[in-house]
Amino acid sequence: MGKHTGYIEYDREGPIERKPSERLNDWGEYLQTHSEDSMEKQGARCMDCATPFCHTGIQIGRSMIGCPTNNLIPEWNDLIYRGRWKEAFERLIKTNNFPEFTGRVCPAPCEGSCTAAINNSAVAIKSIERAIIEKGFSEGWITPNQPAIRTGKKVAVVGSGPAGLACADQLNKLGHLVTVFERSDRIGGLLMYGIPNMKLEKDIVERRVRLLEAEGIQFITNTEIGKDIQANELRESFDAVILCTGAQKPRDLSIKGRELKGIHFAMDYLTANTKSLLDSNLADRAYLSAEGKAVIVIGGGDTGADCIATALRHKCKSIVQFGKHPQLPIERTASNPWPEFPNTFSLDYAYEEASVQIGNDPREYSILTKRFVGDGDGYVKELHTVQIEKTTDQHGNTFIHEIPGSEKIWSADLVLIAIGFSGPEVEVLQAFALKQEKQQKMEAENDKYATNIEGVFIAGDVRRGQSLVVWAIREGREAALVCDKYMMSKIK
Ligand SMILES: Cc1cc2nc3c(=O)[nH]c(=O)nc-3n(C[C@H](O)[C@H](O)[C@H](O)COP(=O)(O)OP(=O)(O)OC[C@H]3O[C@@H](n4cnc5c(N)ncnc54)[C@H](O)[C@@H]3O)c2cc1C
Ligand code: SF4
């Protein structure tokens, strides 16, 4: 364990954030890596709680508990408390291919199920993870390792998000020849063109891709499977195919006025901004600017928050975010006990920044957009809304009611729709003749990563729906094992 009395002696040190007034002027990461000294103290707070939940990654009741990649958290907490960073690093990379991503963007379900968090504050697990992997890079402990033996089996991974990358990494380590196909111009999936630079700088993604390349993985960009290369052609050229194509089909808002100009999907806004930033530091103007505009983001989730942070950096005139749910409670409720992930109110980076730049938290709760109204020239001018409330009957069925008299008109000249994703794009799945469930999740016949087509596997958001980077990594790792078993069973 860490220090016997560590959790009594030391307070939790939260993430180190750059000041909003400073970071709003650039696109750099808002979080920073802690010093070794401070992390050793934070590791000491881990109290060897006998049955730790932080690393479990299991379902209890309706909730997933702990780290989905089963990171060996109590072990590395103890090791860094003792200054044994190299061993902590070795433990960390046993279970997580890309701690430099999760150490930055993971919502840290591990911390929600940390025993210290029952009546105190959780061990700073995510910050420790980031500090360990960054020390691994700076000390030169991470070097490309080609596998000693090649099996001669060839596998195609379609899609280069965290699921595809984790899958490719595992299969390459097992000695297979891996080619990753990506339709975009850069590798990384939503790590590259979804999560904004302020949360994950893109040279962190490229650093890992270079390493994977040096270890023998081949990356082919600007190539859409099912269009540039046909599914059959791919199946004939490779011993197995793993589809890690994500679930990026946006959910739309089919209400009056949706066709007006100035209404865009959040992902189009975020993707174009990152591409322009990387291509030309925004000099090419090949992005949708929010500069001087009254912006409304529809959708109360994290993608909406990322739009807010981006629009603030564009120097928007005003910004509001509509969410359909009420404000979350400050403390856990009885229906959301430890060790579940705490569904409580928090001030995400974007809201903190909005408070500094425009003077208020931009969130509006329990609000429903009824229609968009144009300015007569085809551009959006107004949103008409109503407040809503949820009620539950004696059978547990919930109903949404509009509150009479709560109608309101909001001015806007840029509207971003961030109400989630309806599932995977079906074209590539149809190209492989895969069966689909009603909710567009893929059917798995033999186990959860195999499909109805022999030698074709699926993993990541395409299988489980929009999720988290850490879940994509877990899925990629597990699917690689299933695929390896399949390919090796074919060796005579
Ligand atoms: C705006 C935004 C912010 C997010 N922020 C966070 C966060 O902070 N923390 C977190 O944990 N999670 C976050 N997520 C969720 C997380 O990014 C995803 O769950 C994760 O990236 C899923 O990984 P994946 O590999 O399954 O798919 P993706 O990352 O979606 O990658 C799929 C890839 O497949 C490619 N592809 C699709 N079809 C084809 C084809 N036919 N041929 C070739 N290539 C193809 C796509 O271009 C894409 O690059 C965020 C998501 C969004 C949208
Ligand atoms: S990957 Fe996420 S859940 Fe797992 S230890 Fe890191 S921050 Fe926690």
Side-chain angles (χ1 to χ4, degrees), residues 162-189:
L165 293 180
C167 194
D169 189 19
Q170 293 298 103
L171 286 165
N172 183 55
K173 284 189 171 110
L174 289 167
H176 306 302
L177 286 167
V178 185
T179 307
V180 178
F181 293 91
E182 170 56 57
R183 69 177 169 195
S184 174
D185 63 338
R186 286 183 171 89
I187 295 296

PDB file of all heavy atoms in Angstrom, residues 162-189:
ATOM      1  N   PRO A 162      -9.159   5.124 -31.046  1.00  0.00           N
ATOM      2  CA  PRO A 162      -8.485   4.371 -29.975  1.00  0.00           C
ATOM      3  C   PRO A 162      -8.747   2.867 -30.032  1.00  0.00           C
ATOM      4  O   PRO A 162      -7.857   2.075 -29.685  1.00  0.00           O
ATOM      5  CB  PRO A 162      -9.056   4.988 -28.690  1.00  0.00           C
ATOM      6  CG  PRO A 162     -10.233   5.807 -29.109  1.00  0.00           C
ATOM      7  CD  PRO A 162     -10.021   6.195 -30.516  1.00  0.00           C
ATOM      8  N   ALA A 163      -9.936   2.454 -30.501  1.00  0.00           N
ATOM      9  CA  ALA A 163     -10.199   1.004 -30.601  1.00  0.00           C
ATOM     10  C   ALA A 163      -9.295   0.394 -31.672  1.00  0.00           C
ATOM     11  O   ALA A 163      -8.636  -0.630 -31.433  1.00  0.00           O
ATOM     12  CB  ALA A 163     -11.668   0.751 -30.936  1.00  0.00           C
ATOM     13  N   GLY A 164      -9.238   1.022 -32.851  1.00  0.00           N
ATOM     14  CA  GLY A 164      -8.408   0.506 -33.945  1.00  0.00           C
ATOM     15  C   GLY A 164      -6.935   0.495 -33.568  1.00  0.00           C
ATOM     16  O   GLY A 164      -6.209  -0.475 -33.847  1.00  0.00           O
ATOM     17  N   LEU A 165      -6.491   1.568 -32.904  1.00  0.00           N
ATOM     18  CA  LEU A 165      -5.068   1.649 -32.547  1.00  0.00           C
ATOM     19  C   LEU A 165      -4.698   0.600 -31.490  1.00  0.00           C
ATOM     20  O   LEU A 165      -3.641  -0.041 -31.586  1.00  0.00           O
ATOM     21  CB  LEU A 165      -4.728   3.055 -32.033  1.00  0.00           C
ATOM     22  CG  LEU A 165      -4.808   4.199 -33.059  1.00  0.00           C
ATOM     23  CD1 LEU A 165      -4.436   5.526 -32.404  1.00  0.00           C
ATOM     24  CD2 LEU A 165      -3.909   3.947 -34.265  1.00  0.00           C
ATOM     25  N   ALA A 166      -5.573   0.417 -30.497  1.00  0.00           N
ATOM     26  CA  ALA A 166      -5.270  -0.577 -29.446  1.00  0.00           C
ATOM     27  C   ALA A 166      -5.261  -1.981 -30.045  1.00  0.00           C
ATOM     28  O   ALA A 166      -4.395  -2.808 -29.729  1.00  0.00           O
ATOM     29  CB  ALA A 166      -6.307  -0.484 -28.320  1.00  0.00           C
ATOM     30  N   CYS A 167      -6.221  -2.217 -30.933  1.00  0.00           N
ATOM     31  CA  CYS A 167      -6.320  -3.528 -31.583  1.00  0.00           C
ATOM     32  C   CYS A 167      -5.066  -3.794 -32.429  1.00  0.00           C
ATOM     33  O   CYS A 167      -4.455  -4.873 -32.360  1.00  0.00           O
ATOM     34  CB  CYS A 167      -7.565  -3.467 -32.457  1.00  0.00           C
ATOM     35  SG  CYS A 167      -8.091  -5.031 -33.034  1.00  0.00           S
ATOM     36  N   ALA A 168      -4.673  -2.787 -33.216  1.00  0.00           N
ATOM     37  CA  ALA A 168      -3.495  -2.917 -34.075  1.00  0.00           C
ATOM     38  C   ALA A 168      -2.244  -3.162 -33.232  1.00  0.00           C
ATOM     39  O   ALA A 168      -1.408  -4.025 -33.551  1.00  0.00           O
ATOM     40  CB  ALA A 168      -3.332  -1.645 -34.913  1.00  0.00           C
ATOM     41  N   ASP A 169      -2.118  -2.436 -32.134  1.00  0.00           N
ATOM     42  CA  ASP A 169      -0.952  -2.561 -31.254  1.00  0.00           C
ATOM     43  C   ASP A 169      -0.855  -3.985 -30.696  1.00  0.00           C
ATOM     44  O   ASP A 169       0.211  -4.628 -30.741  1.00  0.00           O
ATOM     45  CB  ASP A 169      -1.098  -1.536 -30.118  1.00  0.00           C
ATOM     46  CG  ASP A 169       0.148  -1.428 -29.262  1.00  0.00           C
ATOM     47  OD1 ASP A 169       1.221  -1.845 -29.727  1.00  0.00           O
ATOM     48  OD2 ASP A 169       0.049  -0.915 -28.122  1.00  0.00           O
ATOM     49  N   GLN A 170      -1.976  -4.505 -30.203  1.00  0.00           N
ATOM     50  CA  GLN A 170      -1.972  -5.845 -29.617  1.00  0.00           C
ATOM     51  C   GLN A 170      -1.636  -6.908 -30.662  1.00  0.00           C
ATOM     52  O   GLN A 170      -0.844  -7.811 -30.422  1.00  0.00           O
ATOM     53  CB  GLN A 170      -3.340  -6.158 -28.998  1.00  0.00           C
ATOM     54  CG  GLN A 170      -3.686  -5.327 -27.789  1.00  0.00           C
ATOM     55  CD  GLN A 170      -2.729  -5.521 -26.630  1.00  0.00           C
ATOM     56  OE1 GLN A 170      -1.877  -4.666 -26.388  1.00  0.00           O
ATOM     57  NE2 GLN A 170      -2.819  -6.623 -25.937  1.00  0.00           N
ATOM     58  N   LEU A 171      -2.266  -6.784 -31.846  1.00  0.00           N
ATOM     59  CA  LEU A 171      -2.045  -7.801 -32.887  1.00  0.00           C
ATOM     60  C   LEU A 171      -0.608  -7.757 -33.402  1.00  0.00           C
ATOM     61  O   LEU A 171      -0.002  -8.792 -33.693  1.00  0.00           O
ATOM     62  CB  LEU A 171      -3.038  -7.594 -34.036  1.00  0.00           C
ATOM     63  CG  LEU A 171      -4.476  -8.013 -33.703  1.00  0.00           C
ATOM     64  CD1 LEU A 171      -5.460  -7.450 -34.719  1.00  0.00           C
ATOM     65  CD2 LEU A 171      -4.589  -9.547 -33.643  1.00  0.00           C
ATOM     66  N   ASN A 172      -0.064  -6.555 -33.496  1.00  0.00           N
ATOM     67  CA  ASN A 172       1.330  -6.418 -33.939  1.00  0.00           C
ATOM     68  C   ASN A 172       2.275  -7.050 -32.917  1.00  0.00           C
ATOM     69  O   ASN A 172       3.210  -7.771 -33.267  1.00  0.00           O
ATOM     70  CB  ASN A 172       1.648  -4.936 -34.146  1.00  0.00           C
ATOM     71  CG  ASN A 172       3.053  -4.729 -34.675  1.00  0.00           C
ATOM     72  OD1 ASN A 172       3.423  -5.288 -35.708  1.00  0.00           O
ATOM     73  ND2 ASN A 172       3.859  -3.964 -33.957  1.00  0.00           N
ATOM     74  N   LYS A 173       1.987  -6.813 -31.632  1.00  0.00           N
ATOM     75  CA  LYS A 173       2.823  -7.405 -30.567  1.00  0.00           C
ATOM     76  C   LYS A 173       2.785  -8.934 -30.636  1.00  0.00           C
ATOM     77  O   LYS A 173       3.747  -9.604 -30.271  1.00  0.00           O
ATOM     78  CB  LYS A 173       2.337  -6.941 -29.191  1.00  0.00           C
ATOM     79  CG  LYS A 173       2.743  -5.505 -28.874  1.00  0.00           C
ATOM     80  CD  LYS A 173       2.438  -5.158 -27.427  1.00  0.00           C
ATOM     81  CE  LYS A 173       3.040  -3.817 -27.063  1.00  0.00           C
ATOM     82  NZ  LYS A 173       2.051  -2.767 -26.865  1.00  0.00           N
ATOM     83  N   LEU A 174       1.636  -9.457 -31.087  1.00  0.00           N
ATOM     84  CA  LEU A 174       1.510 -10.927 -31.200  1.00  0.00           C
ATOM     85  C   LEU A 174       2.178 -11.463 -32.466  1.00  0.00           C
ATOM     86  O   LEU A 174       2.117 -12.649 -32.753  1.00  0.00           O
ATOM     87  CB  LEU A 174       0.027 -11.313 -31.175  1.00  0.00           C
ATOM     88  CG  LEU A 174      -0.663 -11.146 -29.817  1.00  0.00           C
ATOM     89  CD1 LEU A 174      -2.179 -11.249 -29.964  1.00  0.00           C
ATOM     90  CD2 LEU A 174      -0.166 -12.193 -28.811  1.00  0.00           C
ATOM     91  N   GLY A 175       2.756 -10.579 -33.268  1.00  0.00           N
ATOM     92  CA  GLY A 175       3.539 -11.024 -34.422  1.00  0.00           C
ATOM     93  C   GLY A 175       2.813 -10.980 -35.758  1.00  0.00           C
ATOM     94  O   GLY A 175       3.366 -11.390 -36.783  1.00  0.00           O
ATOM     95  N   HIS A 176       1.569 -10.517 -35.769  1.00  0.00           N
ATOM     96  CA  HIS A 176       0.840 -10.441 -37.042  1.00  0.00           C
ATOM     97  C   HIS A 176       1.222  -9.165 -37.799  1.00  0.00           C
ATOM     98  O   HIS A 176       1.645  -8.187 -37.186  1.00  0.00           O
ATOM     99  CB  HIS A 176      -0.668 -10.467 -36.787  1.00  0.00           C
ATOM    100  CG  HIS A 176      -1.106 -11.637 -35.954  1.00  0.00           C
ATOM    101  ND1 HIS A 176      -0.857 -12.945 -36.341  1.00  0.00           N
ATOM    102  CD2 HIS A 176      -1.735 -11.716 -34.740  1.00  0.00           C
ATOM    103  CE1 HIS A 176      -1.337 -13.770 -35.416  1.00  0.00           C
ATOM    104  NE2 HIS A 176      -1.856 -13.053 -34.431  1.00  0.00           N
ATOM    105  N   LEU A 177       1.026  -9.201 -39.115  1.00  0.00           N
ATOM    106  CA  LEU A 177       1.323  -8.008 -39.921  1.00  0.00           C
ATOM    107  C   LEU A 177       0.044  -7.175 -40.011  1.00  0.00           C
ATOM    108  O   LEU A 177      -0.966  -7.637 -40.561  1.00  0.00           O
ATOM    109  CB  LEU A 177       1.792  -8.417 -41.316  1.00  0.00           C
ATOM    110  CG  LEU A 177       3.210  -8.979 -41.369  1.00  0.00           C
ATOM    111  CD1 LEU A 177       3.464  -9.648 -42.716  1.00  0.00           C
ATOM    112  CD2 LEU A 177       4.245  -7.883 -41.097  1.00  0.00           C
ATOM    113  N   VAL A 178       0.091  -5.974 -39.466  1.00  0.00           N
ATOM    114  CA  VAL A 178      -1.132  -5.180 -39.333  1.00  0.00           C
ATOM    115  C   VAL A 178      -1.102  -3.964 -40.250  1.00  0.00           C
ATOM    116  O   VAL A 178      -0.121  -3.217 -40.272  1.00  0.00           O
ATOM    117  CB  VAL A 178      -1.301  -4.692 -37.870  1.00  0.00           C
ATOM    118  CG1 VAL A 178      -2.635  -3.962 -37.699  1.00  0.00           C
ATOM    119  CG2 VAL A 178      -1.193  -5.843 -36.876  1.00  0.00           C
ATOM    120  N   THR A 179      -2.217  -3.782 -40.988  1.00  0.00           N
ATOM    121  CA  THR A 179      -2.392  -2.555 -41.772  1.00  0.00           C
ATOM    122  C   THR A 179      -3.651  -1.865 -41.269  1.00  0.00           C
ATOM    123  O   THR A 179      -4.706  -2.490 -41.149  1.00  0.00           O
ATOM    124  CB  THR A 179      -2.564  -2.882 -43.274  1.00  0.00           C
ATOM    125  OG1 THR A 179      -1.470  -3.699 -43.687  1.00  0.00           O
ATOM    126  CG2 THR A 179      -2.600  -1.612 -44.106  1.00  0.00           C
ATOM    127  N   VAL A 180      -3.523  -0.577 -40.951  1.00  0.00           N
ATOM    128  CA  VAL A 180      -4.680   0.210 -40.491  1.00  0.00           C
ATOM    129  C   VAL A 180      -5.128   1.108 -41.637  1.00  0.00           C
ATOM    130  O   VAL A 180      -4.318   1.874 -42.186  1.00  0.00           O
ATOM    131  CB  VAL A 180      -4.312   1.072 -39.262  1.00  0.00           C
ATOM    132  CG1 VAL A 180      -5.507   1.922 -38.827  1.00  0.00           C
ATOM    133  CG2 VAL A 180      -3.826   0.205 -38.108  1.00  0.00           C
ATOM    134  N   PHE A 181      -6.407   1.018 -41.992  1.00  0.00           N
ATOM    135  CA  PHE A 181      -6.972   1.875 -43.046  1.00  0.00           C
ATOM    136  C   PHE A 181      -7.809   2.968 -42.400  1.00  0.00           C
ATOM    137  O   PHE A 181      -8.647   2.683 -41.529  1.00  0.00           O
ATOM    138  CB  PHE A 181      -7.861   1.054 -43.991  1.00  0.00           C
ATOM    139  CG  PHE A 181      -7.099   0.046 -44.799  1.00  0.00           C
ATOM    140  CD1 PHE A 181      -6.920  -1.257 -44.330  1.00  0.00           C
ATOM    141  CD2 PHE A 181      -6.542   0.394 -46.022  1.00  0.00           C
ATOM    142  CE1 PHE A 181      -6.201  -2.189 -45.063  1.00  0.00           C
ATOM    143  CE2 PHE A 181      -5.823  -0.540 -46.763  1.00  0.00           C
ATOM    144  CZ  PHE A 181      -5.659  -1.839 -46.279  1.00  0.00           C
ATOM    145  N   GLU A 182      -7.602   4.198 -42.835  1.00  0.00           N
ATOM    146  CA  GLU A 182      -8.339   5.333 -42.274  1.00  0.00           C
ATOM    147  C   GLU A 182      -8.809   6.233 -43.417  1.00  0.00           C
ATOM    148  O   GLU A 182      -8.029   6.593 -44.287  1.00  0.00           O
ATOM    149  CB  GLU A 182      -7.423   6.111 -41.306  1.00  0.00           C
ATOM    150  CG  GLU A 182      -7.961   7.435 -40.824  1.00  0.00           C
ATOM    151  CD  GLU A 182      -9.333   7.341 -40.144  1.00  0.00           C
ATOM    152  OE1 GLU A 182      -9.467   6.605 -39.167  1.00  0.00           O
ATOM    153  OE2 GLU A 182     -10.273   8.003 -40.646  1.00  0.00           O
ATOM    154  N   ARG A 183     -10.092   6.594 -43.386  1.00  0.00           N
ATOM    155  CA  ARG A 183     -10.605   7.413 -44.494  1.00  0.00           C
ATOM    156  C   ARG A 183     -10.212   8.885 -44.370  1.00  0.00           C
ATOM    157  O   ARG A 183     -10.184   9.619 -45.349  1.00  0.00           O
ATOM    158  CB  ARG A 183     -12.127   7.290 -44.575  1.00  0.00           C
ATOM    159  CG  ARG A 183     -12.836   7.935 -43.434  1.00  0.00           C
ATOM    160  CD  ARG A 183     -14.335   7.874 -43.571  1.00  0.00           C
ATOM    161  NE  ARG A 183     -14.916   8.294 -42.305  1.00  0.00           N
ATOM    162  CZ  ARG A 183     -16.167   8.097 -41.956  1.00  0.00           C
ATOM    163  NH1 ARG A 183     -16.983   7.472 -42.760  1.00  0.00           N
ATOM    164  NH2 ARG A 183     -16.611   8.521 -40.809  1.00  0.00           N
ATOM    165  N   SER A 184      -9.888   9.283 -43.169  1.00  0.00           N
ATOM    166  CA  SER A 184      -9.514  10.682 -42.949  1.00  0.00           C
ATOM    167  C   SER A 184      -8.052  10.914 -43.375  1.00  0.00           C
ATOM    168  O   SER A 184      -7.325   9.963 -43.649  1.00  0.00           O
ATOM    169  CB  SER A 184      -9.708  10.972 -41.466  1.00  0.00           C
ATOM    170  OG  SER A 184      -9.249  12.233 -41.171  1.00  0.00           O
ATOM    171  N   ASP A 185      -7.633  12.175 -43.361  1.00  0.00           N
ATOM    172  CA  ASP A 185      -6.252  12.469 -43.768  1.00  0.00           C
ATOM    173  C   ASP A 185      -5.260  12.286 -42.618  1.00  0.00           C
ATOM    174  O   ASP A 185      -4.050  12.323 -42.841  1.00  0.00           O
ATOM    175  CB  ASP A 185      -6.142  13.895 -44.336  1.00  0.00           C
ATOM    176  CG  ASP A 185      -6.485  14.953 -43.307  1.00  0.00           C
ATOM    177  OD1 ASP A 185      -7.191  14.625 -42.333  1.00  0.00           O
ATOM    178  OD2 ASP A 185      -6.051  16.105 -43.461  1.00  0.00           O
ATOM    179  N   ARG A 186      -5.758  12.149 -41.406  1.00  0.00           N
ATOM    180  CA  ARG A 186      -4.853  11.935 -40.268  1.00  0.00           C
ATOM    181  C   ARG A 186      -5.343  10.748 -39.438  1.00  0.00           C
ATOM    182  O   ARG A 186      -6.541  10.489 -39.360  1.00  0.00           O
ATOM    183  CB  ARG A 186      -4.807  13.177 -39.370  1.00  0.00           C
ATOM    184  CG  ARG A 186      -4.022  14.342 -39.966  1.00  0.00           C
ATOM    185  CD  ARG A 186      -3.947  15.508 -38.984  1.00  0.00           C
ATOM    186  NE  ARG A 186      -3.031  16.548 -39.445  1.00  0.00           N
ATOM    187  CZ  ARG A 186      -3.391  17.561 -40.230  1.00  0.00           C
ATOM    188  NH1 ARG A 186      -4.637  17.684 -40.645  1.00  0.00           N
ATOM    189  NH2 ARG A 186      -2.489  18.477 -40.597  1.00  0.00           N
ATOM    190  N   ILE A 187      -4.393  10.105 -38.785  1.00  0.00           N
ATOM    191  CA  ILE A 187      -4.693   8.945 -37.938  1.00  0.00           C
ATOM    192  C   ILE A 187      -5.167   9.415 -36.557  1.00  0.00           C
ATOM    193  O   ILE A 187      -4.697  10.429 -36.050  1.00  0.00           O
ATOM    194  CB  ILE A 187      -3.406   8.077 -37.801  1.00  0.00           C
ATOM    195  CG1 ILE A 187      -3.001   7.485 -39.156  1.00  0.00           C
ATOM    196  CG2 ILE A 187      -3.552   6.973 -36.754  1.00  0.00           C
ATOM    197  CD1 ILE A 187      -3.996   6.519 -39.762  1.00  0.00           C
ATOM    198  N   GLY A 188      -6.105   8.666 -35.951  1.00  0.00           N
ATOM    199  CA  GLY A 188      -6.492   8.960 -34.566  1.00  0.00           C
ATOM    200  C   GLY A 188      -7.990   8.940 -34.304  1.00  0.00           C
ATOM    201  O   GLY A 188      -8.406   8.959 -33.151  1.00  0.00           O
ATOM    202  N   GLY A 189      -8.825   8.935 -35.346  1.00  0.00           N
ATOM    203  CA  GLY A 189     -10.273   8.934 -35.121  1.00  0.00           C
ATOM    204  C   GLY A 189     -10.673  10.165 -34.326  1.00  0.00           C
ATOM    205  O   GLY A 189     -10.182  11.267 -34.574  1.00  0.00           O
TER     206      GLY A 189
END
